[in-house]
Amino acid sequence: MPIHFEDRDVVSAAEGMRSALIVPCNLCPAVTVATRQNRPFMRFLRNPIKSVPFEEYLETMRGRLHEQGVSTKVFRSSIYHQWFMCMWTERRRKKLAREARKYDAVIVLGCDSATETVRDAVPPEVKVIEGMKTTGIMNGRIGFKPPDNLVFEGCQVVAISKQPGLE
């Protein structure tokens, strides 16, 4: 099941910045937002590559940053295999690096692995901001509700246990 997240205060973290590139992983953060709002994750027949709740979440974040004088753009990944930052190809990482050079900061929406992918790809002068904090793994059931809703039901957050010596 997907990783579950809590939001971090990206507006405060971006204070003093003029621009930020928002780089979302498109599965786990989107599932988190959809289940938090008790809404379908996707509507396959209407838009097979976007999660409406997550798109609204991104627009709200962009609006809050804009109010603080930070211009933003979302680094889109519309091909399914690009949804998982931890599995991006070298070509995709280089594209992010080229795009990130135009911004003061990059806001990562994803797990620690996604953040590491971004840190490795972007130039050192670009600030990396973690937009979400991992709180556990969601345990639930995926389902399909007519006419075209992909939903996650009965989700609960299961803590990620720490192994001795790895803290």
Side-chain angles (χ1 to χ4, degrees):
M1 286 302 287
I3 295 171
H4 184 268
F5 301 101
E6 287 181 3
D7 298 335
R8 292 183 186 250
D9 183 2
V10 296
V11 175
S12 294
E15 189 173 327
M17 304 287 165
R18 292 172 289 137
S19 60
L21 181 64
I22 301 169
V23 183
C25 206
N26 286 328
L27 185 68
C28 297
V31 172
T32 294
V33 170
T35 56
R36 186 184 329 173
Q37 296 176 5
N38 198 26
R39 294 173 63 193
F41 166 61
M42 289 187 115
R43 302 191 78 181
F44 277 112
L45 299 178
R46 295 175 195 220
N47 194 333
I49 60 170
K50 289 187 179 180
S51 170
V52 172
F54 193 52
E55 289 300 314
E56 292 169 358
Y57 173 87
L58 292 170
E59 286 307 309
T60 299
M61 177 183 288
R62 292 184 73 198
R64 290 179 50 230
L65 288 161
H66 181 74
E67 288 173 2
Q68 299 302 313
V70 180
S71 64
T72 61
K73 178 182 174 185
V74 177
F75 187 77
R76 299 283 177 185
S77 296
S78 57
I79 303 171
Y80 288 120
H81 75 274
Q82 293 176 349
W83 278 19
F84 306 93
M85 272 191 259
C86 58
M87 298 188 311
W88 276 359
T89 62
E90 189 62 30
R91 184 176 178 182
R92 188 77 183 144
R93 292 166 194 241
K94 286 180 180 177
K95 184 173 183 175
L96 172 61
R98 284 191 304 274
E99 189 69 22
R101 284 185 182 94
K102 303 173 190 173
Y103 297 87
D104 297 327
V106 172
I107 299 170
V108 183
L109 300 178
C111 65
D112 293 346
S113 180
T115 301
E116 193 61 30
T117 296
V118 171
R119 270 197 178 82
D120 286 347
V122 303
E125 64 272 9
V126 177
K127 180 179 181 179
V128 176
I129 299 170
E130 294 180 79
M132 295 182 145
K133 174 185 174 187
T134 301
T135 58
I137 298 173
M138 282 191 275
N139 183 328
R141 296 175 307 281
I142 191 167
F144 185 77
K145 299 246 182 189
D148 64 347
N149 296 319
L150 181 63
V151 297
F152 287 85
E153 299 175 308
C155 289
Q156 63 185 60
V157 179
V158 178
I160 298 173
S161 59
K162 297 206 183 265
Q163 295 179 10
L166 296 180
E167 287 126 25

